[in-house]
Amino acid sequence: MTHLPPPAEELRLLDNELRQLDARRALLLTRRAWLITALRPPVAPPLPRPPLHRPETTAPRVQNVLLVLGGALLTIAAIAFTLVSWGRMGIAGRALVLGAVTLAALGSPVLLLRHRLRSTAEAVAGLGLALTVLDVYALHEVAFPDTNGLGYAAIASALLAALWTTYGLALGGPRRPTGEPATPARLTLRLPLPTALAAAQLPLILWAAAADAGAPAMTAALLVTAALDTALALRVPVPSVRLVAAVGAYGLGGWGSFAAGWLSWTATGPSAVARAAALLLFAAAIALAAAWRLPDTNVATWVASAGGLLTVAALGGVPRSSLPGEWTVPGYLVCAVALLAAVRTRLPEPMRRGLALAAASVQAVTVVWALPPVAVALLGPLAWVGRVWTGAPSTAREAVASDGLPWPPYAATAPLVLVVVAAVLALAVRGTRWRPSATIGASALVWAAALVLPAALGIPYWAGMSAQGLTIVAALASVVRSAQPRPVLFLLALVGSGSLACLSLAAEGTTLGVLAALTVLFAAVSGRSRLAPVAALTYATALACAVGASLGWQPQYIALLVLLVPVVAALLAARLAGSPARVPVEVTGAVAGLLAVGLAVPDPPLLALVLALCAVIAAGTAVREDRRPVGYAATALFVLAAWVRLACWGVGSVEAYTLPVTVPALLVGALGRRKDPLTSSWTAYGAGLSVTLVPSLLTAWIDPDWPRPLLLGVAALAVTLVGARHRLRAPLVLGGGVLALDALHELAPYLVQMAGALPRWVPPALAGLVLLALGATYEQRIRDARRVREVLGRMR
């Protein structure tokens, strides 16, 4: 029997044989692929294809250009024939040539359309239409040479429009009756109908011009033509006709509306005003009718807005001829307010939106008209700053009007306009989105009306002042009563108070009373706005100055009274911790302190006192933990006060001015190093030492006497020794430097004498010896310098 291995051994042998077969098969497949590639004939590289030239235009465009150019050339030739060669032919020849050419040009499109050559038919039809115009011109020259040119043109344009319309409809193709099978659509001409409509724009206008009918008749002709265009644009389905009609409607309608508006504005009699109003109402009816039928809501809104404006212009211009000039704007405003009634009707939404836009536009224009008297009433009182206490005027208008800002004419009704617009904003705006803005706008308009009313009515000066004060009180009362912040209302009250304060400068008693009242008033509402304490302190400052001037004090003494304001500001700021009004209050107090300093400048002794008091106020502020940096300002003010006092005593020594700075600076530096031992000596003592040593050194260099340099040298030596003892870099360097320069200053005269006594060759020789010595000991000097640097580096 044949020996069989165990199953595991046999399985291993089979796997080994299979792996060898797979490797052999892969080798054979690789060889086969190479042989196939080697036996294939070489393939020639592809030849480069020539670049394709793409046409720059399309065939239909080329066709249209050629047809248009051909028709234009034929038209030019026909015009040249009519104008130049017309007189060389008899009547029969003329009629035969023009008639034949016109009939051929108008009849050819029929055959061309049957052969489906539509573009060519359009070009030939255009030539035919142009020839009909030439026929009309030739007929006038031959048969009606004495007729009115404009009248003949009006009749001819109407006949041509009718002829071209008939021609266009005739070539428009019959409609397929309902129920018949579909047939290939018949081609139609597009040119005759829009051309006919373009010619139809002229008859009425030319007729009015020929009849010398005047501006109203010409305006009526424009508007009637625009009405016909509007009707065609809304009803005719042909796009080209609708486009021409829309252009005519907008163009002629706008021209006619402007002409009617100008007639209304320049009309002087009731009949002229009535005619202009009728034309404007007609234009408004056209616009509103178009807005009713327009499918585009945006366009309908704007067209309806134009109709609303024309309605206001028509109705508002009627009473203008019989009322005074100041009632012109209120008349238009009343019409605009009445127009808002249409917003509550069942008109389409675009129309209601457009009418509301028109009413709002008119009201905005009237508010702009009322702004000049508001500006005069607000800014006119500033003129009293230059003529304080020169006497109260007799009326409120004289108080606000001046040469620079005269009272505007026709401004007597400005308050009425502002109040009416404010009432519309308060009552008409109901939406939650715009309601807050409308309320703010109404409040501002009412405030402006109250500001202008005294001057507009010309009431007495005292009554005008009282009315303006009551307005401010009412505004601040509204701010206090409101549960929500009312910043706009407060700002209006603040602006009005500034105008009232300037207006009160006319009389002494009025100034004191108004400033005191404003101070108390804004102090009472200081919890409702961060600007209220600022306003109260500002008016308190002005009151202090006014009281001092009323008592006859000099400005330097008034400064002491003004200093009460920084004291109050500092105390108030301490109570306003965490309030946003704290910083504005402190800034206002600082400004009042600067004002006090400026007032005290003419009197140096009193200036020193004012500076010292300001320093005390600043030091009291710096006591608070979060206001420590104010201590620097307090120190500076104390130093300035000391300097001014020394100058008043006639002290001329520099050290008297610098030591008051050096001593506090050194104390502060010592305290700082005690708290933080790592603080550099330059940071702690550098500034304090420099303030005294440097000015003293500069003074010593120009001082011919010996006591100052000697004392400066002793002081510099003491500073140097202290720096060496405590190993402090700043005292060592500053004291040693000043000591060396001071010694050089003292030895300078002897060095000069020695240099004059020595021969001239001695200085060069000494310089050479010095250079040799330096070169010989260069390395040693470098090592010594490094040691000095290391020693100084170990110092603090």
Side-chain angles (χ1 to χ4, degrees):
M1 294 180 63
T2 306
H3 175 70
L4 296 176
E9 182 65 20
E10 185 179 1
L11 180 61
R12 185 184 63 79
L13 293 174
L14 289 176
D15 290 340
N16 189 20
E17 290 293 336
L18 289 174
R19 281 194 297 271
Q20 292 179 4
L21 288 175
D22 290 339
R24 182 63 178 169
R25 186 174 183 275
L27 179 62
L28 292 176
L29 289 175
T30 303
R31 181 64 180 174
R32 181 178 180 275
W34 182 84
L35 291 173
I36 292 173
T37 304
L39 292 175
R40 286 179 180 175
V43 181
L47 298 176
R49 298 178 63 183
L52 296 178
H53 296 283
R54 308 180 74 177
E56 297 181 355
T57 185
T58 60
R61 291 183 179 179
V62 175
Q63 165 192 305
N64 293 334
V65 170
L66 294 177
L67 291 176
V68 171
L69 183 60
L73 292 177
L74 289 175
T75 304
I76 294 173
I79 294 173
F81 169 76
T82 304
L83 297 178
V84 178
S85 301
W86 181 260
R88 302 177 185 176
M89 304 177 64
I91 298 177
R94 301 171 188 173
L96 180 62
V97 171
L98 273 180
V101 173
T102 303
L103 291 176
L106 294 176
S108 298
V110 179
L111 299 176
L112 293 173
L113 289 176
R114 290 180 181 177
H115 291 82
R116 310 191 69 80
L117 299 176
R118 182 174 185 172
S119 299
T120 306
E122 294 282 359
V124 176
L127 175 61
L129 298 179
L131 288 175
T132 56
V133 177
L134 295 178
D135 291 339
V136 170
Y137 169 75
L139 183 63
H140 176 269
E141 293 296 323
V142 173
F144 307 102
D146 298 330
T147 59
N148 187 356
L150 290 176
Y152 181 82
I155 298 173
S157 59
L159 294 177
L160 286 177
L163 176 63
W164 292 349
T165 302
T166 305
Y167 179 69
L169 294 176
L171 295 183
R175 295 183 178 179
R176 179 173 56 86
T178 306
E180 292 187 3
T183 58
R186 181 180 177 183
L187 298 179
T188 59
L189 290 178
R190 300 176 179 175
L191 184 62
L193 291 180
T195 307
L197 184 57
Q201 311 296 313
L202 302 176
L204 291 177
I205 300 174
L206 293 176
W207 170 80
D212 292 332
M218 178 65 72
T219 304
L222 291 171
L223 294 176
V224 170
T225 306
L228 297 176
D229 289 334
T230 303
L232 291 175
L234 294 174
R235 294 182 177 274
V236 176
V238 182
S240 58
V241 177
R242 293 179 63 182
L243 178 61
V244 175
V247 172
Y250 282 112
L252 297 180
W255 186 9
S257 300
F258 177 79
W262 182 256
L263 290 175
S264 176
W265 185 256
T266 57
T268 55
S271 59
V273 171
R275 286 194 299 269
L279 292 174
L280 285 172
L281 288 176
F282 182 43
I286 297 172
L288 294 176
W292 186 289
R293 297 292 302 274
L294 280 172
D296 191 339
T297 57
N298 292 330
V299 178
T301 299
W302 289 108
V303 173
S305 177
L309 291 175
L310 291 172
T311 303
V312 172
L315 300 179
V318 172
R320 186 176 56 83
S321 61
S322 57
L323 292 177
E326 57 266 17
W327 290 98
T328 299
V329 174
Y332 286 105
L333 178 60
V334 170
C335 296
V337 174
L339 187 64
L340 288 175
V343 179
R344 303 294 180 182
T345 62
R346 296 183 178 180
L347 293 174
E349 176 63 24
M351 291 190 64
R352 289 190 282 117
R353 190 164 56 244
L355 293 176
L357 180 62
S361 301
V362 175
Q363 294 177 62
V365 172
T366 58
V367 170
V368 172
W369 172 82
L371 288 182
V374 176
V376 172
L378 190 62
L379 302 177
L382 292 175
W384 289 101
V385 177
R387 43 195 177 100
V388 179
W389 297 350
T390 56
S394 58
T395 63
R397 183 177 300 181
E398 294 177 2
V400 300
S402 60
D403 296 336
L405 289 174
W407 185 253
Y410 306 118
T413 55
L416 177 62
V417 170
L418 296 172
V419 170
V420 170
V421 177
V424 171
L425 287 176
L427 299 176
V429 181
R430 297 292 186 181
T432 57
R433 178 182 178 185
W434 298 103
R435 183 65 180 174
S437 301
T439 303
I440 293 174
S443 302
L445 292 176
V446 171
W447 170 83
L451 186 68
V452 161
L453 186 61
L457 298 179
I459 62 177
Y461 169 74
W462 306 104
M465 292 279 295
S466 302
Q468 192 167 347
L470 291 176
T471 303
I472 298 170
V473 172
L476 293 178
S478 300
V479 172
V480 173
R481 287 196 306 267
S482 177
Q484 298 179 351
R486 305 289 293 273
V488 176
L489 211 59
F490 179 81
L491 287 177
L492 294 177
L494 185 61
V495 173
S497 67
S499 176
L500 180 63
C502 293
L503 203 60
S504 67
L505 297 177
E508 179 179 347
T510 307
T511 303
L512 297 175
V514 168
L515 291 178
L518 292 177
T519 302
V520 174
L521 191 60
F522 281 99
V525 298
S526 58
R528 302 294 296 177
S529 174
R530 70 177 65 181
L531 294 180
V534 175
L537 292 174
T538 302
Y539 288 126
T541 304
L543 178 61
C545 295
V547 169
S550 178
L551 295 175
W553 291 2
Q554 296 296 323
Q556 58 270 24
Y557 298 106
I558 297 177
L560 297 175
L561 196 59
V562 172
L563 280 180
L564 294 175
V565 176
V567 174
V568 175
L571 296 176
L572 182 60
R575 298 177 59 87
L576 294 175
S579 173
R582 184 179 186 181
V583 174
V585 166
E586 291 176 339
V587 172
T588 306
V591 173
L594 290 177
L595 176 62
V597 172
L599 292 174
V601 167
D603 191 346
L606 198 58
L607 175 61
L609 176 60
V610 170
L611 289 172
L613 293 176
C614 291
V616 171
I617 298 172
T621 303
V623 171
R624 301 200 303 269
E625 185 67 27
D626 57 342
R627 289 295 183 265
R628 297 298 189 196
V630 183
Y632 296 107
T635 304
L637 290 171
F638 275 123
V639 171
L640 289 176
W643 286 356
V644 173
R645 176 53 62 185
L646 291 173
C648 295
W649 289 340
V651 177
S653 176
V654 176
E655 289 76 13
Y657 295 91
T658 57
L659 285 177
V661 180
T662 297
V663 173
L666 293 178
L667 292 177
V668 172
L671 293 176
R673 278 184 60 84
R674 177 174 295 182
K675 291 182 179 180
D676 186 8
L678 299 179
T679 304
S680 173
S681 62
W682 286 106
T683 304
Y685 307 117
L689 293 174
S690 300
V691 168
T692 295
L693 292 178
V694 174
S696 298
L697 178 63
L698 296 177
T699 307
W701 272 70
I702 60 176
D703 192 354
D705 297 330
W706 60 270
R708 180 183 294 276
L710 178 60
L711 294 175
L712 178 60
V714 172
L717 179 60
V719 171
T720 304
L721 294 177
V722 171
R725 172 68 179 81
H726 296 282
R727 302 176 64 185
L728 298 175
R729 185 182 303 175
L732 183 62
V733 173
L734 290 174
V738 172
L739 181 60
L741 292 175
D742 186 64
L744 180 62
H745 172 265
E746 291 301 310
L747 294 176
Y750 302 102
L751 295 176
V752 171
Q753 293 178 2
M754 185 182 298
L758 292 176
R760 294 187 177 181
W761 56 266
V762 173
L766 292 176
L769 292 175
V770 170
L771 292 176
L772 289 176
L774 289 176
T777 60
Y778 184 74
E779 184 177 0
Q780 181 66 31
R781 299 305 181 188
I782 292 178
R783 187 166 57 251
D784 295 341
R786 289 175 179 174
R787 291 178 179 176
V788 172
R789 186 177 63 184
E790 292 175 356
V791 171
L792 293 175
R794 289 193 298 269
M795 295 181 182
R796 297 187 301 275

